[in-house]
Amino acid sequence: MAIITVVLAILCREFLHHSQKAMDQKLPFYFSKSKLGVQILGVIPQSPADKMGLQKGEVISKINGVVVREEEELYRALQINRAHCKLEVIDNNEQIRFVQRALFDGEHYELGLLFVDDQLKESGQVG
């Protein structure tokens, strides 16, 4: 009886392992660069990005009408119009939506977004 219990436990564990692995493969991979734009790794609470409703995993493809592919391009595009920020965002359902917000004096000059850092990714460090 004990041998049967051990065999059943091993089989159940293997089933759970493989089913969890299959579910994980279906989820989007947030920690890689996107060819569509700059992928959001995280949003700082109470930041302008949080107030615009941006979420982890979404991709910013345009800012103020300028196509962005890297973080530096994103911040250069933000400088075009410092008082207003209009974003074209590809959400987690691959739908394009437009988000805009006025940026006020006294707010931090950045949106409050976290992106994948190429230097950390290449060296194997996690930030």
Side-chain angles (χ1 to χ4, degrees), residues 12-76:
C12 288
R13 185 196 178 291
E14 289 300 315
F15 172 75
L16 290 174
H17 172 73
H18 289 293
S19 62
Q20 184 65 40
K21 188 175 181 180
M23 286 176 38
D24 286 345
Q25 289 177 345
K26 292 178 184 177
L27 294 174
F29 188 62
Y30 292 137
F31 301 104
S32 64
K33 291 188 77 166
S34 173
K35 294 178 182 176
L36 302 173
V38 180
Q39 191 159 23
I40 300 171
L41 184 62
V43 179
I44 298 171
Q46 303 302 316
S47 66
D50 187 33
K51 293 174 184 173
M52 284 191 278
L54 297 176
Q55 298 177 359
K56 178 175 65 171
E58 294 181 328
V59 176
I60 299 172
S61 59
K62 288 185 183 177
I63 294 185
N64 296 329
V66 177
V67 176
V68 294
R69 298 287 181 245
E70 296 179 359
E71 188 175 353
E72 293 80 23
E73 293 175 348
L74 181 137
Y75 289 115
R76 271 188 252 131

Side-chain angles (χ1 to χ4, degrees), residues 61-106:
S61 59
K62 288 185 183 177
I63 294 185
N64 296 329
V66 177
V67 176
V68 294
R69 298 287 181 245
E70 296 179 359
E71 188 175 353
E72 293 80 23
E73 293 175 348
L74 181 137
Y75 289 115
R76 271 188 252 131
L78 276 174
Q79 299 303 316
I80 292 173
N81 185 353
R82 293 182 184 192
H84 188 77
C85 178
K86 182 177 180 182
L87 306 175
E88 183 177 306
V89 179
I90 302 170
D91 66 14
N92 291 324
N93 296 321
E94 298 182 4
Q95 300 292 318
I96 296 175
R97 67 183 172 104
F98 298 95
V99 180
Q100 57 185 348
R101 184 176 190 275
L103 300 174
F104 302 103
D105 284 341

